[in-house]
Amino acid sequence: ELIKFWMDIEIDNNGVLDQTMICSRMLTRYIQTYCSNISRFLLADLIEPLITHRVALEIDEDRMTESQLLSRMEDTTALLRLCEEFKVAILGRLCKLPLELWQIFSFLAVQKQQIVGPVFLYSFLCPAIENPDQFGVIEGNVPGKTKRTLSIIAEVFLRLAKNN
């Protein structure tokens, strides 16, 4: 009932909180409280090799070194391949998420259609890709250039969520 109450709140566009924000916070809090291993389960084996091999891909020409400018097409192709690998792996693992999380997804989908995917991406998945050390995906720090690569991958997913 409390969830339903929060979902029924109508706040105009100038308000501090809107329904999407409430859903986002609710889902994020649930994941942080009850599903601490989800981010590791979904992402660890995807991110750890990037850190181990210090993968550094760049698409912003202003940030590229001269050698990166020469291999720009290779970096773009590698980045697209990585994004596809992440997508396929994550989608394949979603069915193994805890039942309670699926119940929240179901409730949100019934109350506010087309909110589950973007909320999951914006509140949890993309921040966990971009900051794996803060979400328990890996232990230790992510090297700077690999962190940039992970930020680009997260940005690709965020743009996909925004456009779909």
Side-chain angles (χ1 to χ4, degrees):
E1 287 302 310
L2 181 61
I3 293 172
K4 189 164 179 46
F5 167 78
W6 280 107
M7 294 298 298
D8 290 337
I9 291 177
E10 293 293 334
I11 300 175
D12 65 22
N13 290 336
N14 297 324
V16 176
L17 292 176
D18 62 16
Q19 292 174 346
T20 303
M21 175 109 30
I22 292 168
C23 292
S24 174
R25 288 183 178 180
M26 184 174 60
L27 183 59
T28 302
R29 177 64 63 201
Y30 178 83
I31 290 171
Q32 289 171 341
T33 305
Y34 299 106
C35 307
S36 59
N37 293 325
I38 287 178
S39 56
R40 186 156 186 72
F41 165 72
L42 288 174
L43 300 169
D45 68 324
L46 298 168
I47 291 175
E48 287 171 349
L50 300 181
I51 294 168
T52 301
H53 298 294
R54 296 186 172 266
V55 173
L57 301 173
E58 184 57 68
I59 56 172
D60 183 352
E61 290 182 10
D62 294 334
R63 293 177 174 232
M64 289 182 171
T65 64
E66 198 169 309
S67 64
Q68 284 176 315
L69 282 169
L70 294 173
S71 65
R72 179 176 42 213
M73 198 56 140
E74 292 172 14
D75 277 7
T76 302
T77 302
L79 188 60
L80 289 172
R81 182 186 48 77
L82 274 175
C83 288
E84 183 65 20
E85 285 176 16
F86 270 60
K87 181 185 85 173
V88 168
I90 291 165
L91 288 174
R93 296 170 185 166
L94 288 179
C95 63
K96 296 178 184 170
L97 292 179
L99 177 62
E100 295 83 5
L101 193 54
W102 281 109
Q103 289 171 334
I104 291 175
F105 288 161
S106 265
F107 177 81
L108 293 176
V110 167
Q111 297 298 313
K112 298 289 173 192
Q113 296 202 3
Q114 303 208 1
I115 199 172
V116 175
V119 166
F120 186 67
L121 284 167
Y122 280 101
S123 328
F124 172 69
L125 194 62
C126 290
I129 291 171
E130 193 166 3
N131 301 295
D133 47 337
Q134 295 175 13
F135 279 77
V137 176
I138 57 131
E139 292 182 17
N141 294 326
V142 180
K145 291 189 179 199
T146 304
K147 187 166 181 61
R148 172 72 181 148
T149 300
L150 293 171
S151 293
I152 294 169
I153 292 169
E155 181 66 26
V156 168
F157 282 109
L158 287 174
R159 288 182 186 209
L160 287 171
K162 186 177 180 180
N163 292 333
N164 289 327

